Amino acid sequence: MPRQVIVQPSIEAVEIIDTPIPVPKEHEVVIKVAVAGTNPKDWKMPLCGDDLSGTIQSIGALVSEFRPGDRVAAFHCPGMPNGAFGEYAVAPDWTTFHIGHLSFEEGATVPVAALTAALALFADLGLPATWKVVSDQVKAKEEGKGPLLIYGVSSSVGAFAAKLARLSGIHPLIGVAGRSSAFAKTLVDHVVDYRDGEDAIIASIHSILSEEGLGNKVPYVFDAISEHGSLEAVARVIDPQGGVVVTVLPPQLFARDGNAFRWSEGVRAVNCVLPRVYGSHKDFGFVWSRYLGRLLQEGRLQAHPFEVVPGGLAGVLTALKRLRGGEASGETRNILLRSVYPRNLK
């Protein structure tokens, strides 16, 4: 009988359950998991994992783009049964995409992080998408639409945001990073080190803007961290008259002042919630899942650096505790798990 792992809220224990191979609904695929990915969401809201890659086991009655045996990556619907931390997982066909020649490890780094980045940039910030085709006159006006500040640019979400923004011709790109500044420099035009403190962050950003002849405020910000002081720093550099900021966590829960935290009145602020691709942004999820697959297979987009925790799915707790402790952030890596589960583990 196949097994799956359910993580307890404390992330101090897991429940190992035997489950039959799932039967897909009309627009679902069942995937034999090769690699499960983890990210900070999985220890903050633990359950059963949502990043995965593997081969199609079976398809629903209305699925037309996939066949058994296809190599895919997928974003499993959070909170639903049969997630990534199991030998078989279920995903909607519209958040599943072909990975072609990519390794399963590479594929598992992509779905949650890249879809979140795309949603933040092109739906919430309203920046021009990578494929936008316009006349020369409009192109001259739109080209280089920026600057764009990405706080946490070396995180998996931040890095994918930088890669997608560069593909879209958005510049200059300013990234805030720490121990991973060397990696960040491969992604953006300018890197600011958050370890120097909030005042130094602001001074560095002002210096970059001055150097670029762009005033002293940033019109577009994607805060891929949204805690530990990032919100407060962003609030000091976002343009108070029409600036747009997108966060990955709700400021009222993660800002230092909690409910007292407020953006300037002229700032449009959006909390990017990826599960919208199962509701109001379902078409966005469909289009971008397919486009990510194409970009990856053509080599225009690269997977995120990763490491594999040994022990198969028996390593779930190890991976999540390392993420909680910040051990992966300095190495700018995804922590992955292969689906093999030791049969003698009770």
Side-chain angles (χ1 to χ4, degrees):
M1 180 76 74
R3 288 178 169 182
Q4 65 175 291
V5 180
I6 307 297
V7 183
Q8 300 303 309
S10 65
I11 73 162
E12 296 299 330
V14 297
E15 181 183 3
I16 305 159
I17 60 174
D18 292 326
T19 56
I21 297 176
V23 176
K25 296 178 182 177
E26 288 183 339
H27 280 285
E28 290 180 342
V29 295
V30 174
I31 299 168
K32 185 174 183 181
V33 179
V35 176
T38 62
N39 59 66
K41 168 192 70 63
D42 294 313
W43 72 260
K44 293 174 181 177
M45 297 175 286
L47 194 58
C48 58
D50 300 318
D51 265 318
L52 66 127
S53 63
T55 54
I56 298 287
Q57 172 77 15
S58 60
I59 61 175
L62 299 182
V63 174
S64 61
E65 297 179 75
F66 303 99
R67 294 288 182 270
D70 286 352
R71 303 175 78 256
V72 298
F75 170 37
H76 164 264
C77 185
M80 298 299 290
N82 301 302
F85 299 157
E87 293 172 280
Y88 292 88
V90 174
D93 61 350
W94 66 90
T95 58
T96 302
F97 54 91
H98 294 277
I99 60 173
H101 63 276
L102 263 69
S103 69
F104 289 124
E105 289 79 8
E106 290 173 306
T109 73
V110 177
V112 169
L115 280 172
T116 300
L119 192 65
L121 294 184
F122 307 118
D124 295 334
L125 283 173
L127 294 169
T130 311
W131 59 71
K132 186 175 181 182
V133 179
V134 294
S135 69
D136 289 342
Q137 184 178 1
V138 175
K139 184 177 181 180
K141 181 179 178 181
E142 292 285 348
E143 195 172 52
K145 190 173 184 179
L148 168 65
L149 173 67
I150 303 173
Y151 200 115
V153 70
S154 59
S155 68
S156 56
V157 174
F160 275 116
K163 294 171 186 177
L164 293 175
R166 192 175 290 281
L167 283 172
S168 293
I170 297 166
H171 69 85
L173 299 177
I174 305 170
V176 179
R179 289 176 292 173
S180 307
S181 291
F183 174 62
K185 289 176 181 177
T186 68
L187 301 169
V188 293
D189 304 303
H190 306 276
V191 177
V192 175
D193 194 326
Y194 73 83
R195 295 173 297 178
D196 295 333
E198 185 176 307
D199 288 343
I201 292 173
I202 306 309
S204 295
I205 292 172
H206 285 167
S207 177
I208 292 167
L209 294 174
S210 176
E211 176 186 332
E212 295 276 2
L214 295 168
N216 63 358
K217 295 294 181 182
V218 181
Y220 303 103
V221 177
F222 177 37
D223 186 348
I225 302 298
S226 305
E227 57 183 335
H228 307 309
S230 69
L231 294 158
E232 289 75 14
V234 165
R236 292 175 61 183
V237 295
I238 187 72
D239 187 344
Q241 302 299 322
V244 189
V245 58
V246 174
T247 63
V248 293
L249 297 172
Q252 286 67 32
L253 296 179
F254 292 91
R256 286 194 294 258
D257 295 333
N259 286 325
F261 179 85
R262 294 289 184 273
W263 300 106
S264 297
E265 188 173 331
V267 171
R268 180 168 68 86
V270 182
N271 178 211
C272 184
V273 181
L274 183 57
R276 283 183 291 164
V277 298
Y278 297 112
S280 62
H281 286 63
K282 184 176 177 180
D283 287 347
F284 186 97
F286 172 86
V287 170
W288 267 95
S289 292
R290 274 121 198 87
Y291 192 49
L292 288 171
R294 168 169 287 188
L295 291 174
L296 290 162
Q297 291 180 65
E298 292 182 352
R300 290 189 282 158
L301 181 68
Q302 284 73 45
H304 198 66
F306 63 85
E307 62 177 304
V308 178
V309 169
L313 290 175
V316 167
L317 283 182
T318 298
L320 297 187
K321 287 179 179 179
R322 288 187 61 190
L323 284 170
R324 182 176 63 178
E327 294 180 40
S329 61
E331 300 168 347
T332 67
R333 293 178 176 174
N334 279 89
I335 299 181
L336 307 179
L337 305 138
R338 295 196 173 96
S339 66
V340 177
Y341 206 96
R343 287 289 144 187
N344 60 354
L345 187 63
K346 304 297 182 183

